[in-house]
Amino acid sequence: MTRDPLVAYFSMEIGLEAGMPTYAGGLGVLAGDTIRSAADLDIPMVAVSLLHRRGYFFQHLDAAGNQTEEPVSWAVEDYAEALEARACVEVEGRTVHLRAWRHLVRGISGSAVPVYFLDADLPQNTAEDRRLTDVLYGGDAYYRLCQEVILGIGGIRMLASLGYRDLYRYHLNEGHAALLVLGLLEQRMAEGSQPQMSCKAALEAVREHCVFTTHTPVPAGHDQFPADLARRVLGERFWALLAACWDNASLNMTELALRCARYINGVAMKHGEVSRGLFPGYPIHSITNGVHAATWAAPPFQRLYDRHLPDWRRDFLSLRYAVGIPTDELWQAHQEAKRALLDTVNRVTNAGMNCDALTVGFARRATAYKRFLLLFHDLDRLVGIVKQTGPLQIIFAGKAHPRDHEGKAIIWRVHEVKERLRDIVAITYLPNYDMQTARLLCAGSDVWLNTPVPPLEASGTSGMKAAVNGLPSLSVLDGWWIEGHVEGVTGWAIGERIDICEQPEPGLDACHAEALYDALEHRVLPCFYQEQERYRDMMRHVIALNGSFFNTHRMVAQYLHMAYQAVGRYLDQNNRAGESTSHES
Ligand SMILES: *Cc1c(COP(=O)(O)O)cnc(C)c1O
């Protein structure tokens, strides 16, 4: 099998290790899990991102829940190797020089996927330009556009300077990377026989090689830049190139990616459907997200699977056979994971939580549509349920984007409720949510709660991490959960399926809150406290049905067949390799 890279995977954020603050949330963690699976499955891939020297921020919370942010300090050299290769891009007519740092992600069989982090912090650049690759999702529209020029155009040029040209596929993980199309067009046209090789012809050639995954079902979530800013930053040459294939009204990264990709997909079945509604006329497929099961299984679960399903690290499908794992061993592993979580939570937040109480985990970016506060819609009702059916502990975590004032107010409000319900419901907020805390939370909680406003949760992946550790979900039917939900078997639904609505109806929160309380009172708490054996049996079904499917080994295999269409190419190359050997012999 060829080791020439087949796919270049471009992502503004990539979550590789908790010590590398090069991701902000689900998009980056998905990128990291994709790369880990590609390495395990021996898929020749290279990945490109920005270095983010100051990272996504470090979150401080005071006693009242006020968030302040600090740049993350991290020792880049501990995680990546500085390379000699250089590339440059033009920004507002200035040349910005770039270097690359390489981090190798090793798979189980020893092969590795190199991740190249672009870095503008070079002495040739102006002081301002040196900071262009520092902050993930920081700054204003100008800063963001410069970052996207560096990721897209700079990324293609850096790959060329590292010796990677004409790869079989360029995968745009979200629209941030769409300017890579300009980098590819530039290469094509430079190679063209006639200097004026029509832009349209070049675009057609480039399209053949691009794959675009869209992640956001909200129109406002799609990056868009005003024409005057785009023209100023990109410069006349690229602007003219864009204009030749495209109208100049503005630079909408999603539109650009849609027009330039041969294969487009949403990240869950429902999200594909929603995206087809948002972008009529484009053939949008669905490949449902997954998680890298071996990364997200807590150590006691890893040991459990090693004992019972020895091939599981290579073949996540074998988690299907978790139905045969004795429930007492599963319960033992779960208790260990819960102990590890509660030890951390108690140490960091002094919450005094105990191992016998039903513990609900809720962690994600703190932003309005995730509805952190749905559980608190009617506090009297919540208190009544707890008094009647059994104790409840709730652990929250999540960062609000520095400019998301509503998100910050949500964190503050959780702290307020925590004080109000003190001694009745134990509530805590674990600061600085990152991959490390996600690993603890998605393994050590008893139930994973998710309450997005449908259809805004494109996929969601934390519930999949929970599934790898046997945690049932209690979730609104949206994103991946529409596919993963089997009532009373893999968890519980909050409310009925809500059909696609542009604007959530005013009564939606009240209706979902009622359904949430109803589920807690009549299904979740009674199952946990009175039907322990059924709860344990649910755990094995969660792993067997959802852990075995909602993982990135399955997802990457689907990309390989559907989006990269690489299987034919493999066979082709192997045949050719076979022929040349026979000629030689
Ligand atoms: C998995 C993960 C997310 C994404 O969770 P969702 O359920 O998709 O919102 C966000 N942040 C971190 C740190 C994660 O590990």
Side-chain angles (χ1 to χ4, degrees), residues 141-162:
Y142 167 80
Y143 188 80
R144 299 273 283 265
L145 180 54
C146 291
Q147 290 195 325
E148 296 188 12
V149 167
I150 292 174
L151 177 66
I153 300 171
I156 292 294
R157 291 180 179 172
M158 184 61 81
L159 286 182
S161 134
L162 290 162

mmCIF file of all heavy atoms in Angstrom, residues 141-162:
data_model
loop_
_atom_site.group_PDB
_atom_site.id
_atom_site.type_symbol
_atom_site.label_atom_id
_atom_site.label_comp_id
_atom_site.label_asym_id
_atom_site.label_seq_id
_atom_site.Cartn_x
_atom_site.Cartn_y
_atom_site.Cartn_z
ATOM 1 N N ALA A 141 -12.696 40.754 12.706
ATOM 2 C CA ALA A 141 -12.868 40.120 11.398
ATOM 3 C C ALA A 141 -11.551 40.141 10.616
ATOM 4 O O ALA A 141 -11.201 39.173 9.941
ATOM 5 C CB ALA A 141 -13.970 40.818 10.616
ATOM 6 N N TYR A 142 -10.812 41.251 10.743
ATOM 7 C CA TYR A 142 -9.542 41.356 10.032
ATOM 8 C C TYR A 142 -8.575 40.249 10.480
ATOM 9 O O TYR A 142 -7.966 39.552 9.671
ATOM 10 C CB TYR A 142 -8.924 42.748 10.291
ATOM 11 C CG TYR A 142 -7.482 42.865 9.878
ATOM 12 C CD1 TYR A 142 -7.147 43.066 8.537
ATOM 13 C CD2 TYR A 142 -6.456 42.755 10.827
ATOM 14 C CE1 TYR A 142 -5.819 43.154 8.157
ATOM 15 C CE2 TYR A 142 -5.129 42.841 10.443
ATOM 16 C CZ TYR A 142 -4.818 43.038 9.114
ATOM 17 O OH TYR A 142 -3.505 43.118 8.731
ATOM 18 N N TYR A 143 -8.474 40.081 11.801
ATOM 19 C CA TYR A 143 -7.560 39.070 12.352
ATOM 20 C C TYR A 143 -7.975 37.670 11.891
ATOM 21 O O TYR A 143 -7.144 36.862 11.466
ATOM 22 C CB TYR A 143 -7.595 39.176 13.883
ATOM 23 C CG TYR A 143 -6.574 38.330 14.623
ATOM 24 C CD1 TYR A 143 -5.255 38.751 14.755
ATOM 25 C CD2 TYR A 143 -6.943 37.114 15.205
ATOM 26 C CE1 TYR A 143 -4.320 37.990 15.446
ATOM 27 C CE2 TYR A 143 -6.015 36.344 15.899
ATOM 28 C CZ TYR A 143 -4.703 36.792 16.022
ATOM 29 O OH TYR A 143 -3.795 36.033 16.707
ATOM 30 N N ARG A 144 -9.279 37.418 11.940
ATOM 31 C CA ARG A 144 -9.770 36.092 11.550
ATOM 32 C C ARG A 144 -9.508 35.821 10.068
ATOM 33 O O ARG A 144 -9.123 34.714 9.691
ATOM 34 C CB ARG A 144 -11.280 35.985 11.819
ATOM 35 C CG ARG A 144 -11.640 36.154 13.279
ATOM 36 C CD ARG A 144 -11.551 34.833 14.004
ATOM 37 N NE ARG A 144 -12.723 34.010 13.703
ATOM 38 C CZ ARG A 144 -13.809 33.968 14.472
ATOM 39 N NH1 ARG A 144 -13.863 34.671 15.570
ATOM 40 N NH2 ARG A 144 -14.818 33.188 14.144
ATOM 41 N N LEU A 145 -9.725 36.854 9.240
ATOM 42 C CA LEU A 145 -9.496 36.657 7.808
ATOM 43 C C LEU A 145 -8.006 36.392 7.547
ATOM 44 O O LEU A 145 -7.658 35.510 6.758
ATOM 45 C CB LEU A 145 -9.992 37.872 7.002
ATOM 46 C CG LEU A 145 -9.798 37.774 5.489
ATOM 47 C CD1 LEU A 145 -10.412 36.493 4.913
ATOM 48 C CD2 LEU A 145 -10.387 38.999 4.788
ATOM 49 N N CYS A 146 -7.134 37.137 8.237
ATOM 50 C CA CYS A 146 -5.697 36.890 8.067
ATOM 51 C C CYS A 146 -5.374 35.447 8.442
ATOM 52 O O CYS A 146 -4.597 34.766 7.759
ATOM 53 C CB CYS A 146 -4.882 37.839 8.950
ATOM 54 S SG CYS A 146 -4.961 39.544 8.409
ATOM 55 N N GLN A 147 -5.968 34.962 9.528
ATOM 56 C CA GLN A 147 -5.717 33.580 9.944
ATOM 57 C C GLN A 147 -6.193 32.596 8.872
ATOM 58 O O GLN A 147 -5.550 31.578 8.616
ATOM 59 C CB GLN A 147 -6.428 33.287 11.260
ATOM 60 C CG GLN A 147 -5.800 34.007 12.443
ATOM 61 C CD GLN A 147 -6.263 33.447 13.775
ATOM 62 O OE1 GLN A 147 -7.413 33.034 13.925
ATOM 63 N NE2 GLN A 147 -5.372 33.427 14.754
ATOM 64 N N GLU A 148 -7.312 32.924 8.243
ATOM 65 C CA GLU A 148 -7.835 32.005 7.229
ATOM 66 C C GLU A 148 -6.998 32.046 5.956
ATOM 67 O O GLU A 148 -6.856 31.031 5.265
ATOM 68 C CB GLU A 148 -9.319 32.288 6.983
ATOM 69 C CG GLU A 148 -10.109 31.989 8.255
ATOM 70 C CD GLU A 148 -11.619 32.045 8.130
ATOM 71 O OE1 GLU A 148 -12.128 32.100 6.999
ATOM 72 O OE2 GLU A 148 -12.291 32.017 9.188
ATOM 73 N N VAL A 149 -6.413 33.209 5.652
ATOM 74 C CA VAL A 149 -5.474 33.292 4.533
ATOM 75 C C VAL A 149 -4.260 32.401 4.837
ATOM 76 O O VAL A 149 -3.786 31.634 3.988
ATOM 77 C CB VAL A 149 -5.024 34.754 4.295
ATOM 78 C CG1 VAL A 149 -3.824 34.808 3.357
ATOM 79 C CG2 VAL A 149 -6.184 35.577 3.739
ATOM 80 N N ILE A 150 -3.779 32.488 6.074
ATOM 81 C CA ILE A 150 -2.606 31.696 6.452
ATOM 82 C C ILE A 150 -2.926 30.205 6.410
ATOM 83 O O ILE A 150 -2.185 29.405 5.835
ATOM 84 C CB ILE A 150 -2.098 32.128 7.849
ATOM 85 C CG1 ILE A 150 -1.521 33.542 7.757
ATOM 86 C CG2 ILE A 150 -1.055 31.146 8.383
ATOM 87 C CD1 ILE A 150 -1.123 34.152 9.091
ATOM 88 N N LEU A 151 -4.076 29.818 6.990
ATOM 89 C CA LEU A 151 -4.437 28.400 7.005
ATOM 90 C C LEU A 151 -4.622 27.865 5.582
ATOM 91 O O LEU A 151 -4.070 26.821 5.229
ATOM 92 C CB LEU A 151 -5.730 28.195 7.810
ATOM 93 C CG LEU A 151 -6.259 26.761 7.849
ATOM 94 C CD1 LEU A 151 -5.301 25.843 8.601
ATOM 95 C CD2 LEU A 151 -7.654 26.699 8.494
ATOM 96 N N GLY A 152 -5.396 28.595 4.768
ATOM 97 C CA GLY A 152 -5.751 28.075 3.444
ATOM 98 C C GLY A 152 -4.600 28.203 2.452
ATOM 99 O O GLY A 152 -4.024 27.200 2.008
ATOM 100 N N ILE A 153 -4.245 29.450 2.128
ATOM 101 C CA ILE A 153 -3.217 29.674 1.107
ATOM 102 C C ILE A 153 -1.836 29.294 1.665
ATOM 103 O O ILE A 153 -1.061 28.589 1.023
ATOM 104 C CB ILE A 153 -3.242 31.149 0.638
ATOM 105 C CG1 ILE A 153 -4.626 31.468 0.057
ATOM 106 C CG2 ILE A 153 -2.139 31.407 -0.380
ATOM 107 C CD1 ILE A 153 -4.863 32.927 -0.254
ATOM 108 N N GLY A 154 -1.566 29.750 2.900
ATOM 109 C CA GLY A 154 -0.291 29.410 3.529
ATOM 110 C C GLY A 154 -0.137 27.903 3.701
ATOM 111 O O GLY A 154 0.952 27.350 3.540
ATOM 112 N N GLY A 155 -1.241 27.239 4.034
ATOM 113 C CA GLY A 155 -1.194 25.787 4.231
ATOM 114 C C GLY A 155 -0.819 25.048 2.956
ATOM 115 O O GLY A 155 0.037 24.157 2.967
ATOM 116 N N ILE A 156 -1.426 25.449 1.836
ATOM 117 C CA ILE A 156 -1.110 24.802 0.556
ATOM 118 C C ILE A 156 0.351 25.060 0.172
ATOM 119 O O ILE A 156 1.077 24.157 -0.261
ATOM 120 C CB ILE A 156 -2.063 25.306 -0.560
ATOM 121 C CG1 ILE A 156 -3.488 24.809 -0.298
ATOM 122 C CG2 ILE A 156 -1.573 24.885 -1.945
ATOM 123 C CD1 ILE A 156 -3.668 23.303 -0.398
ATOM 124 N N ARG A 157 0.787 26.300 0.375
ATOM 125 C CA ARG A 157 2.181 26.616 0.007
ATOM 126 C C ARG A 157 3.169 25.898 0.926
ATOM 127 O O ARG A 157 4.230 25.468 0.484
ATOM 128 C CB ARG A 157 2.399 28.134 0.064
ATOM 129 C CG ARG A 157 1.640 28.868 -1.047
ATOM 130 C CD ARG A 157 1.896 30.350 -0.939
ATOM 131 N NE ARG A 157 1.208 31.085 -1.995
ATOM 132 C CZ ARG A 157 1.150 32.406 -2.036
ATOM 133 N NH1 ARG A 157 1.743 33.127 -1.086
ATOM 134 N NH2 ARG A 157 0.527 33.013 -3.007
ATOM 135 N N MET A 158 2.799 25.782 2.203
ATOM 136 C CA MET A 158 3.700 25.065 3.119
ATOM 137 C C MET A 158 3.767 23.589 2.735
ATOM 138 O O MET A 158 4.851 22.993 2.738
ATOM 139 C CB MET A 158 3.240 25.230 4.568
ATOM 140 C CG MET A 158 4.174 24.587 5.584
ATOM 141 S SD MET A 158 5.861 25.286 5.557
ATOM 142 C CE MET A 158 5.618 26.766 6.550
ATOM 143 N N LEU A 159 2.631 23.005 2.394
ATOM 144 C CA LEU A 159 2.659 21.603 1.971
ATOM 145 C C LEU A 159 3.579 21.445 0.768
ATOM 146 O O LEU A 159 4.378 20.500 0.700
ATOM 147 C CB LEU A 159 1.244 21.100 1.635
ATOM 148 C CG LEU A 159 0.309 20.831 2.815
ATOM 149 C CD1 LEU A 159 -1.033 20.285 2.310
ATOM 150 C CD2 LEU A 159 0.918 19.854 3.817
ATOM 151 N N ALA A 160 3.492 22.380 -0.174
ATOM 152 C CA ALA A 160 4.358 22.299 -1.360
ATOM 153 C C ALA A 160 5.816 22.384 -0.931
ATOM 154 O O ALA A 160 6.668 21.627 -1.404
ATOM 155 C CB ALA A 160 4.011 23.417 -2.338
ATOM 156 N N SER A 161 6.087 23.276 0.003
ATOM 157 C CA SER A 161 7.477 23.434 0.418
ATOM 158 C C SER A 161 7.974 22.212 1.202
ATOM 159 O O SER A 161 9.165 21.925 1.241
ATOM 160 C CB SER A 161 7.614 24.772 1.146
ATOM 161 O OG SER A 161 8.330 24.637 2.322
ATOM 162 N N LEU A 162 7.034 21.460 1.780
ATOM 163 C CA LEU A 162 7.414 20.208 2.450
ATOM 164 C C LEU A 162 7.447 19.025 1.475
ATOM 165 O O LEU A 162 7.706 17.892 1.868
ATOM 166 C CB LEU A 162 6.405 19.901 3.566
ATOM 167 C CG LEU A 162 6.443 20.822 4.791
ATOM 168 C CD1 LEU A 162 5.162 20.700 5.597
ATOM 169 C CD2 LEU A 162 7.649 20.500 5.660
#
